[in-house]
């Protein structure tokens, strides 16, 4: 759960930065948010979750 909250916060921060810089219009952000909600309720949601979890595990296992 902590990973998904972190990803959501990161994406939210990036969206705010893009909106403030003018690189992302509000309508584009709205479409992206709606796409996220539809993906979360689709049959692809477990696959996406497993991919993000595996990536987070790999990154957390890296030694500097």
């Amino acid at each position: 759960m902590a990973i998904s909250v972190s990803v959501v916060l990161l994406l939210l921060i990036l969206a705010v930065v893009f909106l403030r810089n003018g690189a992302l219009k509000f309508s584009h952000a709205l479409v992206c948010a709606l796409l996220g909600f539809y993906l979360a309720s689709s049959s692809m949601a477990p696959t996406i979750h497993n991919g993000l979890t595996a990536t987070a595990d790999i990154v957390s296992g890296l030694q500097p």
Side-chain angles (χ1 to χ4, degrees):
M1 181 67 176
I3 293 172
S4 62
V5 171
S6 299
V7 171
V8 168
L9 287 177
L10 175 67
L11 292 175
L12 179 64
I13 290 169
L14 285 174
V16 169
V17 168
F18 287 147
L19 278 169
R20 292 185 60 90
N21 288 340
L24 182 69
K25 295 183 180 175
F26 182 74
S27 60
H28 298 147
L30 183 62
V31 168
C32 291
L34 289 175
L35 175 63
F37 282 113
Y38 281 116
L39 280 177
S41 64
S42 72
S43 62
M44 290 180 56
T47 305
I48 294 169
H49 182 269
N50 291 338
L52 287 174
T53 303
T55 304
D57 290 339
I58 291 171
V59 170
S60 67
L62 292 176
Q63 299 295 325

